């Protein structure tokens, strides 16, 4: 299934004057820092020298049909599941800035393939960057369940002051390293259960089942339940009945993953009438809202009798409950983390494990590093241990560069701008296709070579803004520290004891919601 353009740009952010802010989300931020100063203010002169918007190259819309048809599988020449290739084709055919206009019922998309320009735009973002995202969710939050979400509907699919106010309430506890440190042991426990689950799921030669990607989803659900709801959801149990709550949660997450793109791209009629798929979507979302509400109420009850001597005794959820005094904030925070924190990490892990299994030399280097840092496999992991896994982190970073899980980010222009010498009007949705820019010779030396060392050695070209897996600036991924933690714990635990292999037809990458290997992920797991 293809991921909709709207969702694609959904992983983007807006504009303002941030000055010298760094790509703070990245563990390699020092190295990644760009040498290029953010461009000075856009003067009248800059605008008057700019070429008009109408001259930006790009596919010309056909009268009546516009350009939308080009993205529709079967009739158009661009298959949405091949979106990574399409974005590359745009660059090859039209150059570093491409306008896709005439899209029925939506603003133009402007693809920018110039890392310097991308940097400039990110650095000039205002305090409330606008990442056009998830129209279904926007309608659900702002219309269907306005009764519940009210004036502080969270961060995902929310913009302007409402976004800023909500984000400022939850950002500190979520992003503080102290908070994340507290989750090393809980995530390790979930991951140990997952590895046991994998051991049981293997066949006699050690191959994992065809739908192993579903199992990875269960692990990520279990992780997010532990982080956002303070519970073990029980998704990794081997004998779930159809009606059990964990199975219903798994089904709801799967439904969201598979149907949002269909709703947003193929059948946007829900905007006007409540189609059956839309009604199912609303019921599915209601299920998540009820689930979060119930677990947050339980956490609130527990908190009433919990002995707390310092902030350090509190979980992330408890900190938000205590500091905000409004369980609604904690519920909506949990909901947002769940909505975007399952597929992203699952798809990233599918990609990372597949790359590890098919790159023997690099996998062995990771295993060696992990063995060195963790000589005793029975000793619980610490944050300090994880911090020492430099090569392993570089491997992950290199997977993100070459196979960008979130294929791009974007921002809706809130002011007119000059990009690559063209005057671009406000309202246009700018797309930063990291899947392409991370692989451009101009910004990365020998981009076709898979080389984790490039993130450690500091020689060669590596433009900070060519590959930004978690976005940048005020709207940067809120779950990135947890995402890094979950990935590192999984690799440390798994590769410490097992070798991963892959003995089937090579998997192609496709945009199946995110960018990930498409097909049965039959990894083989062999004791070291
Ligand atoms: C490897 C996994 C992940 C990747 C590649 C990823 C990537 C991204 C990107 C590119 C953005 C947009 C940032 C921007 O606009 O500049 C984003 C936003 C977001 N992510 Fe992640 N993410 C991942 C995992 C997670 C997880 C596990 C969670 C939750 C625990 C999460 C929660 C969020 C939230 C809430 C936002 C919206 C932030 C806002 O709009 O204020 N992400 N993510």
């Amino acid at each position: 299934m293809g991921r909709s353009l709207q969702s694609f740009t959904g992983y983007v952010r807006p504009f303002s004057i941030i000055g010298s802010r760094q790509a703070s989300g990245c563990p390699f931020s020092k190295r990644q820092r760009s040498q290029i100063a953010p461009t000075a203010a856009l003067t009248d002169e800059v605008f008057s020298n700019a070429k008009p918007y109408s001259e930006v190259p790009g596919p010309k819309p056909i009268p009546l049909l516009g350009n939308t048809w080009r993205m529709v599988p079967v009739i158009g020449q661009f298959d949405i599941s091949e979106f990574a290739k399409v974005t590359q084709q745009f660059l090859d055919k039209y150059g570093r800035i491409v306008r896709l206009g005439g899209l029925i019922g939506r603003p133009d998309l402007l693809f920018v393939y110039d890392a310097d320009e991308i940097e400039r735009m990110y650095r000039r973002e205002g305090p409330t960057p606008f990442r056009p995202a998830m129209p279904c969710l926007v309608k659900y939050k702002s219309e269907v369940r306005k009764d519940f979400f009210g004036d502080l509907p969270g961060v995902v699919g929310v913009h302007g002051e409402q976004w800023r106010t909500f984000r400022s309430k939850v950002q500190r506890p979520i992003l503080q390293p102290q908070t994340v440190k507290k989750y090393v042991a809980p995530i390790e426990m979930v991951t140990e259960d997952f590895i046991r689950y994998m051991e049981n799921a293997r066949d006699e030669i050690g191959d994992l089942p065809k739908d192993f990607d579903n199992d990875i989803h269960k692990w990520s659900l279990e992780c997010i339940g532990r982080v956002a709801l303070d519970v073990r959801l029980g998704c990794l149990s081997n004998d779930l009945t159809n009606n059990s709550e964990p199975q219903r949660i798994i089904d709801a997450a799967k439904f969201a993953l598979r149907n949002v793109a269909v709703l947003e791209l193929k059948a946007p009629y829900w905007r006007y009438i409540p189609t059956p798929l839309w009604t199912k979507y609303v019921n599915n979302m209601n299920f998540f809202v009820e689930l979060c509400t119930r677990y947050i109420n339980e956490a609130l009850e527990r908190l009433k009798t919990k002995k707390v001597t310092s902030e350090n005794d509190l979980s992330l959820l408890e900190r938000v409950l205590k500091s905000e005094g409004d369980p609604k904030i904690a519920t909506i925070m949990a909901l947002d983390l769940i909505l975007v924190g399952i597929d992203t990490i699952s798809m990233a892990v599918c990609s990372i494990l597949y790359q590890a299994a098919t790159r023997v030399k690099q996998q062995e280097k990771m295993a060696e590093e992990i063995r060195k840092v963790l000589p005793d496999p029975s000793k619980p992991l610490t944050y300090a241990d994880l911090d020492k896994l430099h090569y392993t982190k570089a491997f992950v970073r290199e997977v993100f560069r070459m196979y960008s899980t979130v294929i791009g980010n974007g921002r809706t222009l809130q002011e007119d701008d000059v990009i690559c010498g063209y005057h671009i009007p406000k309202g246009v949705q700018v797309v930063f296709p990291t899947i392409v820019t991370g692989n451009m010779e101009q910004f990365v030396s020998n981009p076709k070579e898979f080389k984790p060392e490039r993130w450690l050695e500091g020689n060669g070209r590596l433009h900070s803004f060519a590959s930004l897996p978690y976005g940048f600036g005020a709207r940067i991924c809120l779950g990135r520290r947890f995402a890094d933690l979950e990935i590192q714990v999984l690799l440390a635990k798994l590769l410490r004891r097992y070798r991963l292999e892959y003995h089937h037809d090579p998997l192609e990458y496709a945009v199946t919601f995110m960018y990930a290997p498409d097909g049965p992920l039959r990894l083989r797991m062999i004791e070291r």
Side-chain angles (χ1 to χ4, degrees), residues 404-476:
S404 184
T405 308
V406 171
I407 58 180
N409 202 1
R411 294 290 184 258
T412 298
L413 286 189
Q414 293 177 93
E415 301 292 340
D416 282 18
D417 200 351
V418 173
I419 306 173
C420 300
Y422 294 93
H423 182 153
I424 312 295
K426 98 188 217 193
V428 166
Q429 291 185 1
V430 184
V431 177
F432 312 132
T434 34
I435 183 66
V436 177
T437 51
N439 288 283
M440 284 169 75
E441 176 71 49
Q442 204 180 333
F443 307 120
V444 180
S445 313
N446 301 320
K448 289 199 166 63
E449 191 187 349
F450 184 90
K451 193 176 166 208
E453 291 80 359
R454 73 172 80 239
W455 298 98
L456 305 170
E457 288 166 356
N459 48 24
R461 260 184 321 285
L462 193 55
H463 195 302
S464 335
F465 286 75
S467 164
L468 285 174
Y470 294 120
F472 181 85
R475 204 143 191 175
I476 194 167

Side-chain angles (χ1 to χ4, degrees), residues 10-14 122 125 129 131 155-158 163 167 171 174 224 227-228 333 336-338 340-349 352 400 405-406 408-411 468-480 482-484 486-487 514:
Y11 269 94
V12 192
R13 134 179 59 124
Y122 269 135
E125 284 190 333
R131 184 181 60 244
V155 291
V156 183
V158 179
W163 167 80
R167 180 137 178 162
Q171 163 154 303
I174 297 182
I224 199 76
V227 169
M333 173 192 80
D336 272 359
L337 294 181
I338 289 171
V340 289
I342 302 173
D343 314 331
T344 39
I345 186 104
S346 316
M347 297 300 204
V349 165
I352 292 163
F400 282 148
T405 308
V406 171
N409 202 1
R411 294 290 184 258
L468 285 174
Y470 294 120
F472 181 85
R475 204 143 191 175
I476 194 167
C477 174
L478 205 45
R480 68 191 190 278
F482 284 103
D484 283 339
E486 290 171 28
I487 293 168
M514 307 272 152

Side-chain angles (χ1 to χ4, degrees), residues 483-495:
D484 283 339
L485 176 74
E486 290 171 28
I487 293 168
Q488 287 157 21
V489 171
L490 179 63
L491 287 175
K493 301 298 288 183
L494 193 59
L495 300 184

Side-chain angles (χ1 to χ4, degrees), residues 27-28 366 369-370 373 384-397 452-453 455-456 488:
F28 306 93
M366 281 196 277
E369 179 179 74
I370 293 166
V373 173
D385 293 333
L386 295 174
D387 209 33
K388 290 182 204 140
L389 299 178
H390 304 295
Y391 182 83
T392 307
K393 289 192 227 175
F395 179 94
V396 172
R397 193 64 189 79
E453 291 80 359
W455 298 98
L456 305 170
Q488 287 157 21

Side-chain angles (χ1 to χ4, degrees), residues 91 96-97 111-121 420 432-433 437 440 442-443 463 465:
L91 171 67
R96 66 186 181 131
I97 179 165
F111 293 78
V112 176
Y113 300 88
D114 184 316
D116 291 341
E117 288 284 327
I118 293 171
E119 168 168 19
R120 190 187 58 76
M121 291 168 79
C420 300
F432 312 132
T437 51
M440 284 169 75
Q442 204 180 333
F443 307 120
H463 195 302
F465 286 75

